[in-house]
Amino acid sequence: MRLVLLGPPGAGKGTQATILSEKLGVPHISTGDLFRANISEKTPLGVEAKKYLDAGDLVPSELTVDMVRSRLSEPDAVNGFLLDGFPRSVNQAESLVGILADLGAKLDGVLSFVVDEDVVVERMLSRGRADDKEDVIRNRLNVYRDETAPLLNYYADAIVTVDAIGEVDEVSSRALKAIEGLDK
Ligand SMILES: Nc1ncnc2c1ncn2[C@@H]1O[C@H](COP(=O)(O)OP(=O)(O)O)[C@@H](O)[C@H]1O
């Protein structure tokens, strides 16, 4: 199962991806987590990416696309993956087409987590990650609207929506139902 997870920052994609990854037996690949791991290990990529994460801006695509390409080429991703945080723009979606073509793989679908802006701001403020400060959150929401939301159209034919408001396990059973629907 090869899925892209879409949704605004704070929609709970990461939480859901962890659960779905276990149920489906495919790795959860989060570009945010990959960047944060590089930042805490102070790799050259991490040093470069840090300023963008701190500001809530997108890391330049050259860096992001190469990181995703190499992660998707690892053996554990051969039979599937849940891609969380990538693509985040139409350009990145086009890069993903190339990456998957090179790997001889095809997406099975796109899961779109739907949630109000009020709810996501509240969730991010209570999460308290380094980039969960009010002005940075506001910027991430603007970046989402301008760069990422157009993917809802780009992927229109492949999208299934999941209502992401509610308890964690309510949302994950909705997500699993949506994924079952993709098989048919
Ligand atoms: N595909 C991407 N392209 C560029 N930057 C990215 C990408 N994915 C993650 N980032 C960077 O990492 C930050 C955190 O991403 P993420 O952990 O997915 O946040 P959230 O959980 O709020 O959606 C983003 O604000 C951005 O700076």
Side-chain angles (χ1 to χ4, degrees):
M1 190 54 85
R2 297 181 182 87
L3 299 175
V4 163
L5 310 183
L6 280 186
K13 295 188 301 287
T15 305
Q16 292 303 326
T18 306
I19 297 169
L20 297 175
S21 157
E22 202 157 296
K23 302 235 184 219
L24 301 169
V26 295
H28 167 206
I29 299 179
S30 155
T31 45
D33 288 350
L34 291 172
F35 284 128
R36 283 184 289 274
N38 276 278
I39 289 170
S40 63
E41 287 158 25
K42 297 197 167 60
T43 67
L45 172 62
V47 170
E48 183 57 27
K50 184 175 187 313
K51 50 180 182 270
Y52 299 99
L53 271 87
D54 286 348
D57 289 327
L58 294 187
V59 177
S61 274
E62 314 86 77
L63 301 176
T64 307
V65 169
D66 284 350
M67 178 179 80
V68 170
R69 181 190 301 280
S70 71
R71 180 62 188 89
L72 288 179
S73 309
E74 282 175 33
D76 67 330
V78 166
N79 293 317
F81 51 77
L82 299 174
L83 200 45
D84 164 15
F86 186 93
R88 244 178 165 92
S89 66
V90 170
N91 259 332
Q92 290 185 0
E94 275 158 3
S95 301
L96 181 60
V97 173
I99 294 173
L100 292 177
D102 291 346
L103 293 169
K106 210 175 128 292
L107 281 184
D108 294 297
V110 176
L111 229 49
S112 166
F113 290 89
V114 180
V115 57
D116 290 342
E117 205 163 285
D118 299 355
V119 176
V120 302
V121 172
E122 202 153 297
R123 283 182 185 173
M124 284 187 272
L125 286 172
S126 66
R127 183 169 69 175
R129 214 169 62 195
D131 58 345
D132 287 337
K133 308 207 170 43
E134 215 162 335
D135 52 332
V136 179
I137 289 174
R138 202 168 309 120
N139 189 41
R140 279 156 58 211
L141 286 170
N142 285 336
V143 170
Y144 174 78
R145 253 185 247 120
D146 295 346
E147 302 282 334
T148 312
L151 290 175
L152 298 172
N153 279 326
Y154 180 90
Y155 282 130
D157 294 340
I159 277 190
V160 289
T161 59
V162 178
D163 174 3
I165 296 185
E167 298 295 321
V168 168
D169 40 343
E170 263 171 4
V171 177
S172 43
S173 34
R174 286 181 203 137
L176 281 168
K177 261 213 190 104
I179 293 169
E180 276 164 27
L182 285 172
D183 282 339
K184 288 161 202 136

